[in-house]
Amino acid sequence: MTRFKDLIKKPWTWTILPALLFALPFSLSGGWLQWLSLSLILYLISLIFTYKKAIWLALFVLSLLPSFTTVLISQLHSEKAFSSLEQVVFFFIFFLSLGLSYFLARRRKIIPPIALKEFPLGKICLGFGALFLTSLFVNLLAQALGLQTSTENQEALDKLAQIIPLGIFATQTIFAGFFEELTYRVGPFEILFEKNKILAFLTASLLFAAVHSPTDLYSWLLYGSMSLVLTSFYFKYRNFYLNMAIHMLWNFLGISTAFLIN
């Protein structure tokens, strides 16, 4: 009984219920998956303010700036060829976000300085192979269950690729590996829950899947399983650059495959 009382006094425990309740009115038409996704996001935001982890919020905002910029510019016209000024604006914001994110992470000492030893080739290949096998297994399982093997997130990316220049799309997609691993993998482990690795593992796994807007069982299986692989690698090796390299290589494969098919 004493342990239960101590548990409910923890901020990460009593903030769960308000998040679930506040998310409910905004997800009535989207089903329980949308409700869980929105609840998770609200829960993490409440934890940021509860534990005074504003540094993570800064990394989160910076990670969204490049994609927000391309979406905003693409709304201005339907032509694929961005003007020279628009491309300059994108790359300025991209490098600003990249530089500030790295600066904040190094200043907080949540990642080490970049060095060649931080990129072990064997482990990178192992992680990439694990992602490939996981993705293959999920697709085979989805076909066996008769599930649609496509996601709304991927369809949105395909539409965006038809509007924005290839160079900008490739830069944004590949370097998502940097921003997402720093925000959704390093953040939970080294900022939000540095004293509770199990909670950090669960948060990192669920948050990465949730931000990719899963809307059905297949998308949850796909992004959830990939997130488990990447989170497991960080949990075991605690190497941001290793995770970043695996993630960026995977995204590069996705772009290359899509380009060859089209």
Side-chain angles (χ1 to χ4, degrees):
M1 188 66 179
T2 303
R3 293 188 61 183
F4 176 75
K5 289 181 179 180
D6 292 337
L7 183 63
I8 61 176
K9 290 180 181 179
K10 299 290 185 181
W12 58 266
T13 304
W14 55 257
T15 52
I16 295 177
L17 183 58
L20 293 171
L21 293 176
F22 277 111
L24 188 59
F26 301 99
S27 52
L28 292 176
S29 60
W32 67 272
L33 287 175
Q34 182 177 335
W35 173 58
L36 288 179
S37 300
L38 183 57
S39 297
L40 177 60
I41 294 174
L42 292 177
Y43 173 57
L44 289 171
I45 292 175
S46 68
L47 288 178
I48 291 170
F49 290 101
T50 301
Y51 287 99
K52 300 179 180 179
K53 305 293 186 178
I55 181 68
W56 184 87
L57 187 60
L59 292 174
F60 176 74
V61 172
L62 288 170
S63 71
L64 296 179
L65 279 181
S67 57
F68 176 78
T69 302
T70 53
V71 171
L72 182 62
I73 293 177
S74 66
Q75 298 299 316
L76 301 178
H77 51 67
S78 58
E79 298 177 1
K80 185 172 182 177
F82 279 24
S83 68
S84 298
L85 178 59
E86 289 169 337
Q87 295 186 50
V88 169
V89 169
F90 167 79
F91 281 107
F92 173 78
I93 293 178
F94 167 77
F95 284 113
L96 180 65
S97 301
L98 189 72
L100 284 177
S101 296
Y102 182 79
F103 171 78
L104 290 175
R106 284 291 303 124
R107 185 176 183 181
R108 183 66 184 266
K109 296 182 179 179
I110 60 175
I111 62 172
I114 189 169
L116 188 60
K117 66 179 182 178
E118 303 291 342
F119 296 88
L121 184 59
K123 293 175 182 176
I124 292 174
C125 293
L126 180 63
F128 181 82
L131 282 181
F132 181 82
L133 292 176
T134 299
S135 177
L136 179 62
F137 174 77
V138 170
N139 277 277
L140 291 175
L141 178 62
Q143 292 177 14
L145 296 175
L147 302 176
Q148 181 179 356
T149 55
S150 63
T151 66
E152 289 189 10
N153 180 70
Q154 187 59 51
E155 292 174 359
L157 288 176
D158 292 340
K159 291 180 181 179
L160 188 62
Q162 298 174 3
I163 300 175
I164 67 177
L166 178 60
I168 291 180
F169 180 75
T171 300
Q172 179 176 304
T173 304
I174 293 173
F175 276 89
F178 168 88
F179 290 110
E180 291 179 357
E181 291 305 313
L182 183 59
T183 306
Y184 307 128
R185 215 79 57 193
V186 177
F189 278 93
E190 314 300 344
I191 300 176
L192 296 178
F193 308 110
E194 67 270 26
K195 296 181 180 179
N196 191 327
K197 303 310 175 188
I198 301 302
L199 189 56
F201 186 97
L202 293 174
T203 301
S205 299
L206 292 173
L207 181 59
F208 177 83
V211 296
H212 284 81
S213 305
T215 55
D216 52 27
L217 180 59
Y218 171 73
S219 55
W220 269 108
L221 287 173
L222 180 63
Y223 294 122
S225 60
M226 292 176 64
S227 184
L228 282 176
V229 171
L230 290 167
T231 305
S232 297
F233 264 75
Y234 190 80
F235 182 82
K236 180 175 178 58
Y237 299 110
R238 302 299 286 274
N239 185 338
F240 160 68
Y241 299 104
L242 169 62
N243 268 61
M244 181 190 74
I246 296 171
H247 198 152
M248 292 178 72
L249 187 60
W250 180 257
N251 287 356
F252 176 77
L253 174 66
I255 289 180
S256 301
T257 304
F259 180 75
L260 291 174
I261 292 176
N262 295 331

